[in-house]
């Protein structure tokens, strides 16, 4: 890491549910334009850490900063609502299960948040939707409803919807794990395109090949801690920690079945 001030800064993140510690004092710094993958077994705290970035899963202790703004501020309810709505306009999030509104067309799904939160006109919102749907290769589906789309197309619409807010950082929570194998690559290609455009991204993934090819850094998490982190070549080809080695060995064995 350089001495440059982090763009996204997670400081001493802790998360507990009663006696269960899910995150144990995790710190993570991401520079502008960096792509960071988080890997690890189920239950290791990966998604909890990702969801803490935009305070969807508030931390028990620690701080999350984006540039000079603390995201997880302790504020009175009304002030907090205003603060977090403003924050989330800068943080795009793509979930495992798309979360599209079934009663809205693709156009309606992509234009809803910019119109509601940024107050832009219908014409501006439509132009924005067309721009982002062109980027994900779905402009010809703009007036379709989600029921007419494949899983891969739904996820690409979800990405376009997040991008329509012009976020500073994108979070992907197992964005391809609900897809059939033949649809995974079409979503990965969109994420690769964002990487080429130097979008700052934090990606929870089980796609090791994608993480190795696209990401700048990889974190391996297990039991609520970051066990090991480094460049993909180091983590995937020559990991130091025995837990990392065992996880990758098991993952490779399952992939080859």
């Amino acid at each position: 890491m350089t001495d440059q001030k982090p763009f996204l800064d997670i400081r001493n993140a802790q998360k507990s549910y009663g006696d269960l510690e899910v995150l144990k004092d995790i710190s993570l710094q991401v520079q502008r334009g960096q792509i960071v993958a988080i890997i690890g077994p189920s239950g290791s705290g990966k998604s909890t850490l990702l969801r803490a970035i935009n305070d969807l899963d508030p931390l028990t202790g620690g701080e999350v900063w984006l540039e000079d703004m603390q995201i997880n501020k302790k504020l009175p309810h009304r002030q907090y609502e205003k603060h977090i709505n403003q924050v989330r306009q800068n943080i795009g999030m793509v979930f495992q299960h798309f979360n599209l509104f079934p009663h809205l067309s693709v156009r309606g799904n992509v234009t809803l948040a910019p119109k509601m939160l940024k107050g832009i006109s219908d014409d501006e919102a439509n132009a924005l939707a067309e721009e982002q749907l062109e980027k994900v290769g779905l402009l010809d589906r703009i007036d379709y409803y989600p029921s007419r789309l494949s899983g891969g197309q739904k996820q690409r619409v979800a990405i376009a919807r997040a991008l329509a807010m012009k976020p500073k950082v994108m979070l992907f929570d197992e964005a391809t794990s609900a897809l059939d194998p033949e649809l995974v690559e079409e979503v990965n290609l969109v994420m690769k395109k964002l990487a080429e455009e130097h979008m700052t991204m934090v990606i929870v993934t089980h796609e090791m090949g994608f993480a190795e090819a696209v990401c700048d850094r990889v974190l391996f998490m297990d039991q609520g801690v970051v066990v090991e982190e480094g460049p993909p070549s180091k983590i995937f080809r020559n990991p130091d920690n025995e837990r990392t080695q065992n996880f990758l060995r098991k993952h490779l064995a399952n992939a080859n079945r």
Side-chain angles (χ1 to χ4, degrees):
M1 293 293 292
T2 68
D3 293 332
Q4 184 185 349
K5 187 177 177 183
F7 183 60
L8 176 66
D9 193 0
I10 301 170
R11 306 173 184 172
N12 309 108
Q14 298 152 48
K15 177 69 177 181
S16 298
Y17 298 99
D19 294 333
L20 177 65
E21 279 189 288
V22 181
L23 300 177
K24 305 170 185 174
D25 199 33
I26 289 177
S27 293
L28 166 64
Q29 289 75 42
V30 181
Q31 301 295 355
R32 186 189 292 273
Q34 268 197 334
I35 301 150
V36 176
I38 306 174
I39 64 170
S42 297
S44 59
K46 307 183 301 295
S47 291
T48 303
L49 180 62
L50 195 77
R51 290 165 64 87
I53 292 173
N54 63 3
D55 219 29
L56 270 179
D57 209 340
L59 294 173
T60 312
E63 298 177 355
V64 183
W65 291 75
L66 181 63
E67 296 184 292
D68 295 320
M69 181 184 288
Q70 185 180 350
I71 292 170
N72 63 330
K73 279 183 182 175
K74 299 289 184 279
L75 294 168
H77 180 70
R78 278 194 173 173
Q79 284 178 256
Y80 171 79
E81 288 297 313
K82 186 177 178 183
H83 162 76
I84 202 64
N85 284 338
Q86 194 175 9
V87 163
R88 286 177 181 157
Q89 291 183 40
N90 295 313
I91 303 172
M93 186 153 189
V94 179
F95 300 89
Q96 182 177 345
H97 292 294
F98 328 131
N99 294 357
L100 298 179
F101 294 109
H103 63 288
L104 294 179
S105 66
V106 167
R107 185 194 306 274
N109 269 281
V110 177
T111 58
L112 182 66
K115 288 197 290 190
M116 284 182 64
L117 297 174
K118 294 194 170 180
I120 66 175
S121 69
D122 286 352
D123 286 347
E124 287 176 292
N126 279 326
L128 197 56
E130 288 173 7
E131 177 192 347
Q132 300 307 333
L133 289 165
E134 178 81 53
K135 183 177 284 187
V136 301
L138 286 175
L139 184 55
D140 61 334
R141 300 290 193 272
I142 193 166
D143 291 315
Y144 281 38
Y145 282 79
S147 60
R148 294 185 64 193
L149 303 177
S150 70
Q153 289 171 336
K154 287 176 187 173
Q155 195 61 293
R156 283 150 62 197
V157 172
I159 294 171
R161 178 177 62 181
L163 291 173
M165 291 299 291
K166 301 290 185 183
K168 295 179 177 179
V169 59
M170 285 284 289
L171 311 177
F172 292 88
D173 190 8
E174 297 277 18
T176 59
S177 63
L179 301 178
D180 293 333
E182 64 270 20
L183 301 177
V184 168
E185 187 55 25
E186 67 182 63
V187 176
N188 282 345
L189 283 171
V190 173
M191 293 165 71
K192 286 174 185 173
K193 191 172 179 182
L194 292 178
E196 289 165 7
E197 295 171 3
H198 307 291
M199 170 64 79
T200 308
M201 294 191 275
V202 184
I203 302 167
V204 170
T205 185
H206 65 287
E207 297 276 332
M208 302 302 155
F210 174 83
E212 186 170 6
V214 174
C215 297
D216 301 302
R217 285 164 58 213
V218 178
L219 275 68
F220 170 66
M221 284 183 65
D222 192 17
Q223 298 177 0
V225 299
V226 175
V227 175
E228 188 168 358
E229 69 172 292
S233 56
K234 178 77 175 74
I235 298 299
F236 291 117
R237 302 296 170 188
N238 192 26
D240 293 324
N241 193 283
E242 190 177 344
R243 276 197 276 178
T244 316
Q245 294 165 8
N246 288 339
F247 169 77
L248 291 171
R249 195 178 301 120
K250 284 178 186 170
H251 188 88
L252 189 62
N254 289 336
N256 289 335
R257 277 181 186 169

